[in-house]
Amino acid sequence: MFFVYKTPPADRDKGPQAPQVTPVTLTANGGAAKFEFISYPKQVNACDALRTNTLRVYPPDNTESLTLPWDNLICPSPQRMLLVRAITPA
């Protein structure tokens, strides 16, 4: 059986430890960028955790999504469960 659980979109991390939002330019010969995201709650023992194996992301200024592999446990919740940090050079 295949089950799809859609969580609310991630919030942008604007905390003091988050990298500043600045333009990142990639070169044609192997340039790369990265982003970091933080999942909450950290403790999944008290919920009916679900295992996920993918994460849908929307690159900046795009309306089409990419699906990335992501093996993790999540707690079904109406609350925001992900924070995403700014893209930085890899």
Side-chain angles (χ1 to χ4, degrees):
M1 181 176 173
F2 183 71
F3 178 74
V4 175
Y5 180 79
K6 293 184 179 183
T7 63
D11 283 326
R12 179 171 284 167
D13 184 2
K14 297 179 183 176
Q17 302 298 320
Q20 295 297 311
V21 176
T22 57
V24 173
T25 302
L26 302 179
T27 60
N29 57 352
K34 64 181 180 177
F35 69 95
E36 180 182 12
F37 61 91
I38 303 161
S39 61
Y40 292 99
K42 295 293 184 187
Q43 301 295 325
V44 294
N45 299 337
C47 73
D48 293 325
L50 301 172
R51 178 154 305 278
T52 182
N53 58 10
T54 59
L55 180 70
R56 179 181 289 180
V57 297
Y58 289 84
D61 301 323
N62 282 267
T63 57
E64 292 189 32
S65 65
L66 301 173
T67 302
L68 303 177
W70 187 52
D71 185 24
N72 207 346
L73 291 173
I74 60 168
C75 283
S77 170
Q79 299 174 351
R80 299 284 181 171
M81 297 190 312
L82 294 174
L83 285 179
V84 65
R85 290 189 163 171
I87 293 176
T88 57

